[in-house]
Amino acid sequence: MIYRLLQFLLSLLTLASRITCPSAYSVRPRHCRRSPSLRIQEALNDKSYDSSSPTALNDKSHDNSSPSCPFSKSFPRYKIDLTRSREASPVSSSWFGSPFRSFFQLAAKSKLKKLLEPEGPLYWADNLDGVAAITMLWDRAATLLRSETSRSGVEVVALPDASQQLVQNWVEIVQWMGDGDDCLVKAELIAGESANHAVPAVRIQRVERDIDDLETISPNDSVEVLNARTQAWVKRILVEQGICPFTKSVRKSGQGLSDVGVPVGSISYHGSFATNAVQLFADTWKAIEEMMEAGPSGKDGISSILLAAPGFDDDFDFWAGPIFTMLESSVVAAQAQDRIGVVCFHPEYATPDGKSWPGFGHMHSVPRLEKWYQEHSETKELVTEEIAAGGAWQRRTPHATINVLRADQLEAAESKRMTGSMYTENIEKLVCTIGSKKLAEDLELERKLGSSIS
């Protein structure tokens, strides 16, 4: 009787908070596409796309590169329809909810255990929300893929301190992967009486398949080898050629921004031998969580992440399209778009040709680069294909690479640089001074680097 009374009072309190409390998930004003603050990633859910169905993920046959230009292409459009809803403030924030919060969570945990005993174990994760919650969800999914102890191939994850929307959005991202040949895990929200009292829970199920599909790659390589290759590229392109004016060494970035409040921080290098999206995102979000915990300054401060994933080197369309769509959507689900942004690099990177919107984290389009070139170049001797090459070579790394940057640092950097003149100077350095042949040779040498590393 007491439990039902408390349940009734809690429902009244929740209703009142929905009426009086402004939503933390209200749709923000839409920003322009190339705004330096990556809050614009939230607009991902409001734009109109051509390929919004999950089946687009499993279709890796896209070849939209221009037949006349190997350095530019049209990008297929992808969209994940994430639910954006108004949520009440957590019960723990109210004077009434705090004393009874633990009681309600224990009751919900007991019900979940009883409900799920026949299916699989319950993983209860306290004190996680935002980046930490998204990190844990991808990690549990990847662990389930690798696990040989879970006979049922099912695990239920409960996050009592996370928002229902976060968990729902993560489920929507996993479901967007589709039911095709590439589907490795399935996810669904646990709804009904067992999920009362704001304890979001999700059932994660491993899709049974041959063990060969889960094996990693490059057994002769190591993370140290991958990091050495990425560092060699950073030194050659970003430092020695000055393509990024705020990266002066392979170890640190953010130089020259102290006057706008941006400290110099370390570049954090990572490698992932994943061959599927689930394992890749588990590795990526672990690195992101470490960056958030370290902060931007101090001895252990991290300014950015470069994570190399050679398992995706041979499929730029899949990397630049579905993979980055899911990664960007995960940032939105974690409500982290005000803090981080993700940028796409790849050994076969092609500059967007301007005929379609490629998504966030890509090079400016060929028409925009060409416009800037005509405005700022003294010679104006480059043709469209050469300008496209200049854009592509700024993003061609030894391996498929995810670059994670702090949004506030991006905004500060954008306020200090003259974008049009900078890109024009970069294009002329790469195409006119060095040339595509030499750039291709140097990149191939970096891809083979590592024989002297134990």
Side-chain angles (χ1 to χ4, degrees):
M1 180 64 71
I2 294 176
Y3 174 74
R4 292 186 179 277
L5 176 61
L6 291 174
Q7 199 174 21
F8 173 72
L9 291 174
L10 178 64
S11 65
L12 290 178
L13 181 66
T14 302
L15 178 61
S17 63
R18 287 176 178 168
I19 296 173
T20 60
C21 296
S23 170
Y25 301 95
S26 299
V27 177
R28 295 188 178 93
R30 186 176 297 175
H31 298 265
C32 62
R33 178 188 166 205
R34 304 304 296 193
S35 169
S37 170
L38 291 200
R39 285 177 291 185
I40 52 175
Q41 295 194 47
E42 190 164 34
L44 175 72
N45 302 299
D46 299 323
K47 297 188 78 72
S48 175
Y49 294 79
D50 294 337
S51 302
S52 59
S53 66
T55 56
L57 174 65
N58 297 313
D59 181 7
K60 299 183 182 180
S61 60
H62 298 296
D63 184 8
N64 299 283
S65 57
S66 171
S68 60
C69 180
F71 296 106
S72 68
K73 64 169 293 170
S74 293
F75 285 74
R77 298 177 177 180
Y78 298 93
K79 178 186 177 183
I80 302 177
D81 291 313
L82 299 183
T83 300
R84 316 305 291 164
S85 62
R86 294 179 177 271
E87 290 194 358
S89 298
V91 175
S92 59
S93 65
S94 69
W95 67 271
F96 178 80
S98 297
F100 298 100
R101 178 171 174 273
S102 297
F103 172 79
F104 287 139
Q105 287 189 359
L106 286 173
K109 184 176 182 180
S110 176
K111 288 184 178 182
L112 279 172
K113 278 186 174 180
K114 192 173 296 185
L115 176 71
L116 300 165
E117 278 178 3
E119 296 195 45
L122 171 64
Y123 188 88
W124 190 268
D126 294 296
N127 303 316
L128 296 180
D129 198 5
V131 169
I134 287 291
T135 301
M136 192 276 298
L137 286 169
W138 285 119
D139 179 70
R140 296 313 302 172
T143 300
L144 190 64
L145 282 181
R146 300 188 300 266
S147 175
E148 298 178 359
T149 59
S150 178
R151 295 181 181 178
S152 65
V154 174
E155 182 175 82
V156 173
V157 179
L159 297 98
D161 298 297
S163 70
Q164 182 77 12
Q165 179 175 277
L166 180 148
V167 178
Q168 181 175 354
N169 286 169
W170 183 81
V171 169
E172 290 165 345
I173 294 168
V174 174
Q175 290 177 342
W176 190 80
M177 290 182 182
D179 297 321
D181 294 337
D182 292 324
C183 182
L184 297 176
V185 296
K186 296 181 179 181
E188 61 177 328
L189 284 171
I190 303 296
E193 186 179 1
S194 61
N196 280 347
H197 311 307
V199 180
V202 56
R203 180 188 288 108
I204 307 173
Q205 179 179 356
R206 180 179 64 231
V207 177
E208 297 300 332
R209 55 197 301 121
D210 293 337
I211 190 65
D212 291 342
D213 294 330
L214 301 178
E215 289 182 352
T216 55
I217 59 168
S218 303
N220 295 325
D221 287 339
S222 66
V223 172
E224 289 76 19
V225 169
L226 298 186
N227 291 346
R229 292 169 182 168
T230 306
Q231 288 176 349
W233 175 85
V234 169
K235 181 181 179 182
R236 176 175 63 91
I237 294 295
L238 302 188
V239 178
E240 293 180 350
Q241 297 303 323
I243 298 303
C244 176
F246 308 115
T247 300
K248 303 299 184 183
S249 76
V250 298
R251 298 292 182 184
K252 302 281 187 178
S253 66
Q255 296 93 336
L257 295 173
S258 59
D259 58 329
V260 289
V262 175
V264 175
S266 297
I267 303 172
S268 184
Y269 293 91
H270 296 266
S272 171
F273 291 105
T275 56
N276 61 76
V278 174
Q279 294 182 0
L280 173 68
F281 295 151
D283 294 337
T284 301
W285 279 97
K286 180 181 179 182
I288 292 173
E289 184 178 27
E290 290 174 357
M291 183 175 80
M292 294 293 97
E293 291 177 349
S297 61
K299 180 181 178 181
D300 300 320
I302 297 174
S303 65
S304 61
I305 293 168
L306 285 168
L307 184 144
F312 299 86
D313 285 357
D314 297 330
D315 199 341
F316 173 63
D317 288 333
F318 186 58
W319 179 257
I323 289 292
F324 262 77
T325 297
M326 289 186 286
L327 182 56
E328 291 161 358
S329 296
S330 295
V331 173
V332 174
Q335 287 289 294
Q337 61 269 38
D338 282 342
R339 293 183 288 163
I340 59 173
V342 292
V343 184
C344 179
F345 291 81
H346 195 275
E348 299 175 358
Y349 193 89
T351 307
D353 64 6
K355 297 178 182 178
S356 62
W357 187 70
F360 297 97
H362 285 280
M363 174 57 63
H364 295 285
S365 68
V366 173
R368 178 169 293 188
L369 294 176
E370 195 165 22
K371 176 178 180 294
W372 285 338
Y373 176 78
Q374 294 300 326
E375 292 173 349
H376 297 280
S377 175
E378 294 182 0
T379 62
K380 297 180 175 57
E381 62 184 13
L382 297 181
V383 298
T384 300
E385 180 174 329
E386 293 171 316
I387 293 172
W393 283 117
Q394 295 178 58
R395 296 292 186 91
R396 291 196 173 186
T397 46
H399 297 294
T401 298
I402 295 170
N403 181 207
V404 184
L405 299 166
R406 294 183 181 274
D408 56 349
Q409 294 183 355
L410 280 172
E411 189 166 359
E414 191 72 13
S415 68
K416 289 207 63 176
R417 66 188 181 191
M418 298 180 64
T419 303
S421 60
M422 185 194 75
Y423 277 98
T424 297
E425 183 180 345
N426 288 348
I427 290 169
E428 290 181 332
K429 281 181 184 178
L430 296 172
V431 177
C432 299
T433 305
I434 303 174
S436 289
K437 181 180 179 181
K438 174 63 173 172
L439 289 167
E441 292 172 351
D442 290 342
L443 185 64
E444 187 60 27
L445 288 175
E446 289 163 355
R447 288 173 57 81
K448 297 177 180 179
L449 184 66
S451 59
S452 62
I453 298 178
S454 58

